[in-house]
Amino acid sequence: MPSKLSGLLQLFRDILPTRNMEEMEQRLVRAQEREDLPALAKIYYDMGVHCMKNGDPNRAMLYLSRSDTIFSSRDDVYEQVKESLREDCSDRIGQLEDMPLLTNQIPEQIQTQAEYLLNDLQSRVWGLLTMARLVQVGRRLSSLPGCEILGQLGRATDLILQSFQGQISEADFQFLMDICDQLYELGDDECFSDLTKQAEVPGGAPIQAFDLNGLLVLTELNLYLDSHLRLLTEGPENSEAEIDLVSCALLPDYYLRTCKEDLSLLPQIQQEIKRIEDDFEFVRSKITWEDISRRVAQYKELDILTCR
């Protein structure tokens, strides 16, 4: 009898992960329809724990980070999520941050290269090239209610490029200040974590605003713009270049949510890594502002979600 029971328990363990994940995904949709943010945070946490226990650390980071983003977004939501869950979620994210994941290694490599091999202006241009590649992504997501500001990344990119070469008008400076503030505010808006609102991607799965690596892309865009505004008003001695934007066009959350393949093997990820590497060599070479403007213009028209 014990051996039969053990066999049944093992069979149950074998089939439980798939059923559990399917059930959690269904619960996720229902919680979103009810606009129940505490429930969303709990379900994302459960999904992250599930992935962590089943040897999928990349998706574990995806879901745990989403849980953390949601319960940290508002005081009332934070208070409705158990302290034990919040602490365990944070501890697990810390463990994942120490693992040799692609999403950890690429930003670390970028930081090292910028620190030892680039000057301040080269680092800023490297980040600007990534912003240019996010223009089409932002334009696509700007069709979602509440996300309209993402459609202004193209103009922001042009103004930053222009301001590197000479003065911009007071109105243009104010526009950069406004978009900097609005990108920060968007992260606190419920529309940002609304998985029922999606933008179509030709030949691919729809994209959600939350696919911008949780709050990471918005945060880095905000920090990059803030650093640039301080550069214009206070000079480089009071404005350190923000280099973390460089890896943001990888968009791992989108691919982890919509693809089953290993993240490092996806053509879109491989192509973006190559663009990051090419841009690094580009900014180190003897280039002119005309060269930079040409590459920025090309990137603004590039739809990284549909590249194969």
Side-chain angles (χ1 to χ4, degrees):
M1 180 66 69
S3 62
K4 288 184 178 180
L5 178 59
S6 298
L8 286 172
L9 287 172
Q10 184 59 50
L11 177 63
F12 181 72
R13 291 190 191 100
D14 289 343
I15 64 175
L16 186 60
T18 301
R19 289 185 176 178
N20 271 349
M21 185 57 78
E22 291 175 353
E23 178 191 353
M24 285 186 280
E25 289 172 349
Q26 293 168 3
R27 287 168 51 209
L28 194 68
V29 173
R30 292 195 294 270
Q32 184 68 74
E33 290 172 346
R34 299 194 308 271
E35 298 182 354
D36 189 340
L37 294 182
L40 276 176
K42 173 64 166 62
I43 298 165
Y44 274 128
Y45 166 80
D46 290 341
M47 294 170 76
V49 171
H50 172 87
C51 290
M52 205 166 176
K53 289 181 177 178
N54 286 278
D56 193 350
N58 286 296
R59 286 180 179 79
M61 179 67 90
L62 163 68
Y63 295 128
L64 290 170
S65 296
R66 288 190 172 197
S67 176
D68 180 81
T69 296
I70 291 171
F71 68 64
S72 301
S73 63
R74 286 182 1 200
D75 290 343
D76 59 326
V77 178
Y78 187 86
E79 292 169 359
Q80 293 179 66
V81 175
K82 290 183 179 179
E83 182 179 359
S84 58
L85 184 153
R86 300 196 308 262
E87 291 181 350
D88 188 62
C89 185
S90 178
D91 289 343
R92 288 177 181 275
I93 289 174
Q95 294 173 39
L96 292 166
E97 287 176 341
D98 291 333
M99 295 179 68
L101 306 180
L102 179 73
T103 49
N104 295 334
Q105 293 173 326
I106 298 297
E108 290 171 2
Q109 179 182 333
I110 290 168
Q111 283 281 359
T112 301
Q113 289 175 305
E115 182 178 355
Y116 293 105
L117 298 173
L118 299 181
N119 60 36
D120 183 82
L121 181 58
Q122 290 170 328
S123 294
R124 292 178 189 275
V125 172
W126 199 12
L128 181 65
L129 294 171
T130 293
M131 183 185 290
R133 289 199 298 280
L134 290 169
V135 167
Q136 291 300 324
V137 176
R139 186 171 298 167
R140 196 178 299 283
L141 289 170
S142 69
S143 64
L144 304 181
C147 297
E148 293 82 3
I149 190 60
L150 294 173
Q152 298 295 326
L153 291 180
R155 183 182 173 194
T157 300
D158 289 340
L159 288 176
I160 292 171
L161 177 60
Q162 179 184 338
S163 66
F164 276 130
Q165 304 168 71
Q167 285 191 333
I168 58 175
S169 70
E170 184 176 338
D172 288 338
F173 183 86
Q174 185 62 50
F175 169 81
L176 290 177
M177 287 188 64
D178 290 343
I179 191 173
C180 181
D181 292 341
Q182 290 173 57
L183 286 168
Y184 179 84
E185 293 165 0
L186 178 56
D188 292 331
D189 196 306
E190 288 185 22
C191 72
F192 187 71
S193 59
D194 188 347
L195 59 87
T196 66
K197 303 294 190 301
Q198 303 185 121
E200 293 301 315
V201 175
I207 186 172
Q208 304 166 0
F210 220 2
D211 288 331
L212 294 177
N213 306 351
L215 288 179
L216 180 62
V217 175
L218 292 187
T219 299
E220 295 307 334
L221 284 168
N222 167 265
L223 291 174
Y224 183 90
L225 282 160
D226 181 71
S227 172
H228 189 72
L229 290 166
R230 284 187 285 110
L231 172 70
L232 297 181
T233 55
E234 302 174 27
E237 63 279 1
N238 294 313
S239 172
E240 185 177 354
E242 288 289 341
I243 201 65
D244 290 337
L245 180 60
V246 171
S247 65
C248 283
L250 283 166
L251 298 179
D253 286 18
Y254 170 71
Y255 298 111
L256 287 168
R257 184 181 64 81
T258 60
C259 301
K260 300 295 184 184
E261 294 89 337
D262 185 300
L263 197 62
S264 63
L265 300 179
L266 287 171
Q268 297 93 328
I269 294 292
Q270 293 175 343
Q271 289 168 7
E272 179 56 22
I273 291 174
K274 187 172 189 312
R275 284 189 286 264
I276 292 171
E277 294 171 345
D278 288 346
D279 287 347
F280 172 70
E281 297 299 335
F282 175 74
V283 299
R284 294 181 70 202
S285 63
K286 294 181 180 180
I287 52 176
T288 65
W289 284 112
E290 184 179 351
D291 296 326
I292 296 170
S293 299
R294 188 180 304 112
R295 182 166 288 213
V296 165
Q298 292 171 346
Y299 280 158
K300 284 174 56 187
E301 298 302 316
L302 179 65
D303 192 340
I304 59 177
L305 297 178
T306 60
C307 289
R308 293 293 188 273

